[in-house]
Amino acid sequence: MEDRVMAPRRNRPRILLVDDSAFMRALLREQVQQALDAEVLTASSGEEALPHALTGELDCVVCDVNMPGMDGVAFVKAVREHLGRLELPILLVTAADSKEDRVRGLRAGASDFLSKPVEPEELAARVETNVELARLHREVTRMAYTDALTGLVNRRRFLTRLDEQSGNAYGVLMLDIDHFKSINDSCGHAVGDAVLAGVAGVLQDCVPPHHLVGRLGGEEFAVLLPGLDLPAASDVAERMRAGVSGNALGGMPRGKVTVSVGVAVALQGETPARVLQRADDLLYRAKSLGRNQVCA
């Protein structure tokens, strides 16, 4: 899940330079570092560059078109299968009069072009502009998919990710803070907000990075657990329940804040919406049985 990669990037741009010429890599590296104070990675081929490009840790790629093996255009096509133009800008370096390369590059998904010989000022300006656009896009995307109070993914993002699991093995948890209305009524909404943020932190700490915790709304949370069977998903749910009740959250005494949890795993041919509904039904069963417990 790439949602944990959606945080704002470091201040220094992280640029990947791809060229089969060691001389050109060194020259471009020096120019970029001097002009932008950037962190620069290099690769000698499209094949070598591709894993770096798909990590989600780059701000921009500058890639020569003419390289043996996977050339620049093929590299762009491979990246665009996973990342859009605004997610990762790719600047292709080509001969000044190579209209054919530019057309092929644009159709493949190139963001911009640099002409040989590369002028240092133009290189810096084009890289800087594309980095700024990419960072703006990431920030807008992050805001659209993130719950502002807890920092978790919001309902829309969670349901999108859940739908993508169709046909896979996965578990879903539905969690609800017990007696949350009484916390708001007796302690005020500021304390309620602090409780929500505290619970979110505990839930996030209980899962590895490739699992997804979301706030669906109000005091209701959901967790997507790819690849887990029912016993493993139930273990995660119990860790979350115990973690919440075992901490003093939002300034409340330890044990005052608790959660009820419903656990479901996908059955053969079952839709994600149905799995989520079963987890929700089990959540309400946990509520009816006395709260602060897990039902699977």
Side-chain angles (χ1 to χ4, degrees), residues 191-230:
V191 172
D193 287 351
V195 167
L196 287 167
V199 169
V202 171
L203 303 186
Q204 193 78 284
D205 288 343
C206 289
V207 297
H210 64 284
H211 293 173
L212 186 66
V213 182
R215 181 186 177 199
L216 299 193
E219 66 271 30
E220 193 171 61
F221 299 84
V223 185
L224 177 59
L225 304 170
L228 295 195
D229 58 13
L230 188 59

Side-chain angles (χ1 to χ4, degrees), residues 151-215:
L152 301 176
V153 298
N154 60 19
R155 182 184 187 90
R156 177 171 60 177
R157 185 61 167 175
F158 184 87
L159 294 179
T160 297
R161 287 313 216 173
L162 177 63
D163 284 341
E164 292 172 358
Q165 294 298 311
S166 183
N168 298 331
Y170 61 93
V172 174
L173 311 183
M174 286 289 294
L175 304 93
D176 190 87
I177 301 176
D178 298 323
H179 303 297
F180 184 70
K181 185 178 184 301
S182 67
I183 295 175
N184 269 337
D185 291 345
S186 61
C187 302
H189 288 280
V191 172
D193 287 351
V195 167
L196 287 167
V199 169
V202 171
L203 303 186
Q204 193 78 284
D205 288 343
C206 289
V207 297
H210 64 284
H211 293 173
L212 186 66
V213 182
R215 181 186 177 199

Side-chain angles (χ1 to χ4, degrees), residues 19 26 65 76 97 109 135 209 223:
D19 200 299
V65 169
V76 172
D97 59 350
R135 287 184 168 185
V223 185

Side-chain angles (χ1 to χ4, degrees), residues 272-284:
R274 178 56 187 155
V275 181
L276 186 67
Q277 183 60 58
R278 286 200 296 109
D280 196 45
D281 292 342
L282 288 163
L283 162 63
Y284 280 95

Side-chain angles (χ1 to χ4, degrees), residues 47-289:
E47 292 89 347
E48 182 184 349
L50 190 57
H52 294 292
L54 299 182
T55 61
E57 293 295 324
L58 296 175
D59 289 294
C60 187
V61 179
V62 178
C63 181
D64 190 30
V65 169
N66 296 311
M67 297 184 295
M70 178 184 283
D71 66 8
V73 174
F75 168 76
V76 172
K77 287 181 179 178
V79 172
R80 291 297 176 247
E81 292 179 3
H82 305 274
L83 300 171
R85 278 183 170 92
L86 292 176
E87 292 176 279
L88 179 61
I90 303 176
L91 284 63
L92 289 180
V93 181
T94 183
D97 59 350
S98 181
K99 178 181 177 181
E100 180 183 352
D101 283 346
R102 291 172 184 267
V103 171
R104 288 196 305 126
L106 285 171
R107 286 177 174 166
S111 308
D112 206 345
F113 290 90
L114 288 161
S115 298
K116 296 181 178 180
V118 176
E119 294 291 336
E121 290 185 0
E122 182 182 8
L123 169 65
R126 290 186 182 274
V127 169
E128 188 172 26
T129 297
N130 278 277
V131 167
E132 289 177 357
L133 290 173
R135 287 184 168 185
L136 177 61
H137 169 76
R138 284 194 293 265
E139 179 61 15
V140 170
T141 301
R142 186 187 68 81
M143 292 173 65
Y145 287 149
T146 303
D147 176 64
L149 176 63
T150 64
L152 301 176
V153 298
N154 60 19
R155 182 184 187 90
R156 177 171 60 177
R157 185 61 167 175
F158 184 87
L159 294 179
T160 297
R161 287 313 216 173
L162 177 63
D163 284 341
E164 292 172 358
Q165 294 298 311
S166 183
N168 298 331
Y170 61 93
V172 174
L173 311 183
M174 286 289 294
L175 304 93
D176 190 87
I177 301 176
D178 298 323
H179 303 297
F180 184 70
K181 185 178 184 301
S182 67
I183 295 175
N184 269 337
D185 291 345
S186 61
C187 302
H189 288 280
V191 172
D193 287 351
V195 167
L196 287 167
V199 169
V202 171
L203 303 186
Q204 193 78 284
D205 288 343
C206 289
V207 297
H210 64 284
H211 293 173
L212 186 66
V213 182
R215 181 186 177 199
L216 299 193
E219 66 271 30
E220 193 171 61
F221 299 84
V223 185
L224 177 59
L225 304 170
L228 295 195
D229 58 13
L230 188 59
S234 298
D235 285 345
V236 174
E238 177 56 28
R239 287 203 305 271
M240 290 180 167
R241 186 208 61 76
V244 171
S245 64
N247 281 278
L249 302 176
M252 305 289 288
R254 187 187 306 272
K256 184 66 174 179
V257 179
T258 63
V259 293
S260 300
V261 192
V263 185
V265 295
L267 303 176
Q268 184 70 32
E270 192 174 26
T271 66
R274 178 56 187 155
V275 181
L276 186 67
Q277 183 60 58
R278 286 200 296 109
D280 196 45
D281 292 342
L282 288 163
L283 162 63
Y284 280 95
R285 182 182 177 194
K287 292 276 192 184
S288 67
L289 293 175

